[in-house]
Amino acid sequence: MSSSQPFQLSSPISPISSQRRKSRFTYRHLSQLSLSSTSCPLRVIAHIDLDAFYAQCESVRLGLSEDQPLAVQQWQGLIAINYPARKYGLSRHIEITEAKKLCPHLIMQHVATWKEGDEKWAYHQDAFAQIASHKVSLDPYRLESRRILACIKDVLPAAPVQRVEKAGIDEVFVDMSAQIHATLVERFPEVSGPAPYDDPTELLPRPPTTALDWNSDALVDLDSTETEDDDPDWDDIAMLIGSEIVRSVRAAIRKHLKYTCSAGIGRNKMIAKLGSAHKKPNQQTIVRNRAVQNFLGEFKFTKIRNLGGKLGEEIVSKFATDQVKDLLPVPLEQLKSKIGDDTGSWVYGVIRGEDFSEVNSRTQIKSMLSAKSFRPSINTFEQALKWLRIFVSDIFSRLVEEGVLENKRRPKSINLHYRQGAQMRSRQGPIPTGKLIDEMLLFDIAKNLLGQIVVDGRAWPCSNLQLSVGGFEDGPTGNRGISGFLVKGDEAKAMRSTTRDFGQNEPHHENTHPEKRRKFESGGIGRFFARKPNVVENNRQGFIAKSEDSHAESSSSPIAADTMLQEESSHGEDSTRNPAITCADDETHITREVKDRSPTKDIYEQVFALESSKKTFVCVQCHNTIPLADRDEHNDWHFAKGLQTQERITQASTNPQSPLIPKPGTTNSSSSVFSRSVGKKRTHQSSGRQKTERGQKRLVFES
């Protein structure tokens, strides 16, 4: 007898409860997390940002209390203000006098500066009044930045698990995905095994926990479609582990270096960076995947990286809004039609929290720059050289920290940028690879580049000067110098005695080829060491003169001079290695004399000639501005002009029939000026020259 009621399970399982036992994520996603894949939905990125970094550096250096208001001063402006000072309404754009009124006990510390003649930057009490003779140095902050980066790496596991990107002097990105994967499979063994049926698309089991302890972190509220009653998934577990890692990093920085920092934690770099600025100072913000839309909806899209500037202005003008929440309802096709297919697709994804950029673990610098804006402008080559010396000292001190003396890293090129008026010009030159980099080498190359710009003309006044090095490459490892292949001292003597013994014990064979034997005895490498003083003395002067002429011709253009500078550096190095030159004193003397006459010196001679030609005087007779070097020639011209005028006046007085027709531009005033300048004696002499003697001719002077 069958029952009229349908059969039911004793413990019914609803479809909803069945789905809850499975995660939204698969075993493939978990595998991608271990590889730090940018497309993994479980990915976790942190952005760590130091709080008011410059101001913190000065407070820590001076040993001040954390609640002491402090501002970092540069010349007559404020470039950093700590958080205790911000409570008084201070900002970076405020004037110093106004800042003192708002906060009378404010400490204003000027940044370190370079001063001419100093070998290192220093803190000068009167630096704010020395803008014309000092240059700002940020080296103290760079040094602290390196210490903080080293501390972060010490807390995290070693590479390749560790992925840290230095985004600026006071901020870093950290990809914690691989480290989180290792911690996750250790805490939850149920996901550590292989996927069922070896199918990576199988869903992961649901996390066994239903509540997560976020400690004191700032949690962004969930989206409107999500609630806190929902059980957490593996992306929430990954975020929780990431927050623990970041908390330990921040605690280590605080303990060892006394700095506070804020952090943002999210699924990509864009969200993490926005999160680090959400709650400051000394806090960390977590943006869970279920809270991304609610978090971004509070921002102006112009605050998002790469959405400012012209692109942001274009979007604002076409959609009449700058809010993310107002742009979210706009369809993809409408975005493409108004701002282009590629740009529209990219903006559509960015405002929804999509960012697949990778955390680049290379934290080494790519270039170094030292620059100065001049107020007032500089006008001479000597002034520019003074600042080049400071730039070189600044850059070289940072190169030493990069390991240039140990040949760990070295730049390949040096660049000089020069602003005259509205025009910016630049010159670039190679750094010789065969020489050890020092201040003198960098200064000589920079001086040569500056000389090329000055010789080209239109160099003054100069309002901005920049010197940079770039093209960094790692130095070779495991290589030996040439001295490593040579034998010295007792070992060399032992080898020589062994060779002699071997030659004496060798049986004597009759010479069947006497001619070849004689050629060997009279030739060989020994002929290269033979001294020929008569040939050297006879050819020395001609050789030097010829070398000077060739160098002068080569340095007539900046490009040729730059090329010759590089070639001379390589030749100079090779000459020290060639025994034929180093062993013969006369040949060495010739090489030294030729080397003194370098293309660089020719450039400097042109520069100083050009600079000296700019010294002028105003002629009292014609009121024209004349180069000082042409003064004598110009006075002779006026003297001859006066003689010609006197001659015409005399002809007109003795022969009234011949009209006096002065040449264009000649007036009676020139005659009077001439009379005043040469005096009565010269006038008398000129009147005595009216008649020419036999065999003489009268000279005609052109006006």
Side-chain angles (χ1 to χ4, degrees), residues 43-186:
R43 186 185 187 208
V44 180
I45 306 296
H47 180 258
I48 302 176
D49 186 19
L50 275 296
D51 300 323
F53 180 54
Y54 289 1
Q56 269 204 98
C57 288
E58 298 300 342
S59 295
V60 171
R61 181 182 68 86
L62 297 173
L64 302 178
S65 172
E66 292 185 356
D67 57 356
Q68 169 63 50
L70 180 140
V72 179
Q73 181 181 353
Q74 179 176 318
W75 311 132
Q76 300 300 322
L78 302 179
I79 62 173
I81 299 173
N82 66 359
Y83 284 91
R86 296 183 189 185
K87 296 179 181 179
Y88 293 86
L90 273 62
S91 64
R92 288 187 296 177
H93 304 290
I94 197 172
E95 295 183 357
I96 294 178
T97 55
E98 183 67 20
K100 274 293 189 182
K101 292 179 181 178
L102 295 176
C103 184
H105 56 289
L106 175 69
I107 295 178
M108 290 185 295
Q109 174 61 52
H110 198 281
V111 297
T113 57
W114 285 89
K115 182 181 178 182
E116 184 186 8
D118 292 349
E119 297 181 356
K120 186 176 175 58
W121 50 265
Y123 286 92
H124 301 276
Q125 293 183 353
D126 60 341
F128 64 92
Q130 304 296 332
I131 186 173
S133 58
H134 285 223
K135 177 194 172 302
V136 169
S137 174
L138 301 180
D139 285 0
Y141 312 129
R142 295 190 185 100
L143 293 173
E144 293 303 298
S145 177
R146 292 190 182 95
R147 295 178 62 201
I148 293 170
L149 182 61
C151 181
I152 293 174
K153 291 184 176 182
D154 289 342
V155 177
L156 299 176
V161 177
Q162 175 193 101
R163 288 202 177 189
V164 180
E165 175 185 342
K166 186 176 180 180
I169 194 172
D170 61 344
E171 56 179 332
V172 295
F173 285 105
V174 182
D175 189 340
M176 303 177 291
S177 301
Q179 184 179 358
I180 288 173
H181 175 270
T183 305
L184 190 145
V185 297
E186 181 182 351

Side-chain angles (χ1 to χ4, degrees), residues 337-579:
S337 63
K338 289 194 174 184
I339 59 178
D341 291 346
D342 294 339
T343 306
S345 300
W346 178 78
V347 171
Y348 185 84
V350 165
I351 61 177
R352 285 166 173 78
E354 295 180 5
D355 177 23
F356 301 103
S357 58
E358 186 177 3
V359 173
N360 187 0
S361 58
R362 295 192 61 185
T363 57
Q364 294 177 331
I365 60 175
K366 299 179 181 179
S367 62
M368 293 180 180
L369 172 70
S370 187
K372 172 73 175 177
S373 295
F374 304 111
R375 300 174 185 174
S377 301
I378 59 176
N379 295 281
T380 64
F381 186 71
E382 289 78 9
Q383 286 179 298
L385 285 183
K386 177 189 72 172
W387 288 107
L388 277 186
R389 290 189 183 95
I390 297 177
F391 294 167
V392 167
S393 299
D394 183 14
I395 291 177
F396 183 73
S397 65
R398 290 147 61 186
L399 286 174
V400 171
E401 296 172 3
E402 283 293 309
V404 68
L405 296 181
E406 296 82 11
N407 204 27
K408 294 179 180 178
R409 298 190 76 216
R410 61 180 290 137
K412 295 190 295 186
S413 61
I414 185 169
N415 302 271
L416 181 68
H417 295 271
Y418 186 100
R419 178 177 293 278
Q420 190 270 330
Q423 183 182 12
M424 193 75 174
R425 289 180 288 171
S426 63
R427 289 291 186 275
Q428 179 177 354
I431 298 176
T433 56
K435 291 187 175 181
L436 181 66
I437 295 180
D438 56 14
E439 288 191 54
M440 185 58 66
L441 175 64
L442 296 178
F443 180 69
D444 287 343
I445 300 175
K447 187 163 61 172
N448 181 50
L449 297 178
L450 178 63
Q452 294 177 24
I453 294 177
V454 174
V455 169
D456 284 349
R458 305 182 310 278
W460 314 112
C462 173
S463 59
N464 182 271
L465 200 59
Q466 303 177 12
L467 187 69
S468 64
V469 293
F472 278 84
E473 60 182 2
D474 295 332
T477 57
N479 288 356
R480 287 192 299 169
I482 191 172
S483 59
F485 297 93
L486 302 179
V487 181
K488 302 177 182 179
D490 297 336
E491 189 176 357
K493 294 178 180 179
M495 288 186 64
R496 183 177 301 177
S497 61
T498 303
T499 306
R500 289 175 180 171
D501 295 341
F502 179 78
Q504 292 174 359
N505 298 332
E506 190 174 306
H508 178 71
H509 297 283
E510 185 178 355
N511 184 15
T512 56
H513 303 284
E515 294 181 359
K516 292 185 179 179
R517 182 68 175 176
R518 284 195 300 271
K519 183 180 291 187
F520 175 80
E521 290 176 348
S522 61
I525 196 172
R527 69 178 185 273
F528 292 103
F529 295 91
R531 300 186 59 177
K532 300 178 181 179
N534 54 340
V535 178
V536 172
E537 293 297 330
N538 293 336
N539 294 337
R540 175 178 295 171
Q541 298 302 326
F543 178 74
I544 295 174
K546 183 177 180 180
S547 300
E548 290 182 355
D549 294 340
S550 62
H551 279 302
E553 294 173 1
S554 301
S555 62
S556 59
S557 66
I559 298 177
D562 189 46
T563 305
M564 287 298 297
L565 177 61
Q566 182 181 6
E567 292 178 356
E568 184 195 356
S569 299
S570 61
H571 292 330
E573 183 182 18
D574 293 340
S575 65
T576 61
R577 298 180 180 178
N578 192 342

Side-chain angles (χ1 to χ4, degrees), residues 531-680:
R531 300 186 59 177
K532 300 178 181 179
N534 54 340
V535 178
V536 172
E537 293 297 330
N538 293 336
N539 294 337
R540 175 178 295 171
Q541 298 302 326
F543 178 74
I544 295 174
K546 183 177 180 180
S547 300
E548 290 182 355
D549 294 340
S550 62
H551 279 302
E553 294 173 1
S554 301
S555 62
S556 59
S557 66
I559 298 177
D562 189 46
T563 305
M564 287 298 297
L565 177 61
Q566 182 181 6
E567 292 178 356
E568 184 195 356
S569 299
S570 61
H571 292 330
E573 183 182 18
D574 293 340
S575 65
T576 61
R577 298 180 180 178
N578 192 342
I581 296 179
T582 56
C583 293
D585 297 337
D586 295 322
E587 284 84 350
T588 306
H589 183 66
I590 292 176
T591 305
R592 187 181 299 113
E593 290 185 8
V594 174
K595 190 180 279 189
D596 290 342
R597 185 66 176 180
S598 64
T600 308
K601 288 192 175 183
D602 292 335
I603 285 287
Y604 302 155
E605 291 174 0
Q606 295 181 44
V607 170
F608 290 124
L610 185 63
E611 292 291 316
S612 61
S613 67
K614 294 181 179 179
K615 298 178 181 179
T616 59
F617 79 102
V618 179
C619 179
V620 296
Q621 301 183 45
C622 60
H623 304 290
N624 291 329
T625 302
I626 308 298
L628 191 61
D630 300 336
R631 182 172 185 172
D632 294 339
E633 183 179 355
H634 186 73
N635 290 336
D636 291 342
W637 182 85
H638 276 295
F639 181 74
K641 188 70 176 176
L643 288 177
Q644 186 183 42
T645 304
Q646 289 290 341
E647 187 72 21
R648 291 179 178 175
I649 294 174
T650 304
Q651 286 183 355
S653 61
T654 56
N655 188 8
Q657 300 298 328
S658 60
L660 179 62
I661 305 176
K663 298 216 171 185
T666 304
T667 61
N668 291 335
S669 62
S670 63
S671 175
S672 60
V673 170
F674 166 75
S675 301
R676 290 194 303 269
S677 62
V678 300
K680 297 180 179 180

Side-chain angles (χ1 to χ4, degrees), residues 138-345:
L138 301 180
D139 285 0
Y141 312 129
R142 295 190 185 100
L143 293 173
E144 293 303 298
S145 177
R146 292 190 182 95
R147 295 178 62 201
I148 293 170
L149 182 61
C151 181
I152 293 174
K153 291 184 176 182
D154 289 342
V155 177
L156 299 176
V161 177
Q162 175 193 101
R163 288 202 177 189
V164 180
E165 175 185 342
K166 186 176 180 180
I169 194 172
D170 61 344
E171 56 179 332
V172 295
F173 285 105
V174 182
D175 189 340
M176 303 177 291
S177 301
Q179 184 179 358
I180 288 173
H181 175 270
T183 305
L184 190 145
V185 297
E186 181 182 351
R187 292 184 183 179
F188 303 95
E190 58 267 30
V191 297
S192 60
Y197 316 110
D198 291 330
D199 184 4
T201 60
E202 279 286 325
L203 296 176
L204 291 167
R206 198 79 177 186
T209 182
T210 58
L212 301 178
D213 182 12
W214 297 101
N215 206 300
S216 58
D217 296 342
L219 279 178
V220 175
D221 294 337
L222 299 177
D223 297 340
S224 58
T225 58
E226 303 286 343
T227 65
E228 295 288 354
D229 295 333
D230 297 333
D231 291 338
D233 209 339
W234 291 113
D235 57 342
D236 298 316
I237 302 295
M239 289 283 180
L240 178 66
I241 298 174
S243 68
E244 296 172 359
I245 297 172
V246 174
R247 197 178 298 115
S248 64
V249 171
R250 294 174 51 234
I253 297 174
R254 176 76 163 165
K255 177 181 178 181
H256 299 295
L257 303 177
K258 301 181 180 179
Y259 293 109
T260 64
C261 53
S262 301
I265 303 169
R267 68 188 184 193
N268 53 47
K269 294 171 69 174
M270 178 191 71
I271 296 175
K273 184 172 178 61
L274 293 174
S276 65
H278 186 63
K279 294 286 185 179
K280 289 176 80 72
N282 199 24
Q283 296 189 58
Q284 62 184 46
T285 301
I286 300 176
V287 186
R288 293 168 288 178
N289 292 347
R290 294 183 291 159
V292 169
Q293 219 52 66
N294 180 51
F295 178 66
L296 293 179
E298 302 175 358
F299 285 92
K300 295 180 179 181
F301 56 77
T302 52
K303 299 294 184 181
I304 299 176
R305 184 184 178 189
N306 297 327
L307 270 179
K310 293 183 179 180
L311 177 58
E313 294 175 358
E314 180 184 359
I315 298 175
V316 170
S317 63
K318 291 185 177 181
F319 294 94
T321 183
D322 60 356
Q323 299 291 327
V324 172
K325 60 183 178 182
D326 296 333
L327 206 60
L328 284 173
V330 178
L332 175 61
E333 295 302 323
Q334 186 176 354
L335 282 172
K336 289 183 177 180
S337 63
K338 289 194 174 184
I339 59 178
D341 291 346
D342 294 339
T343 306
S345 300

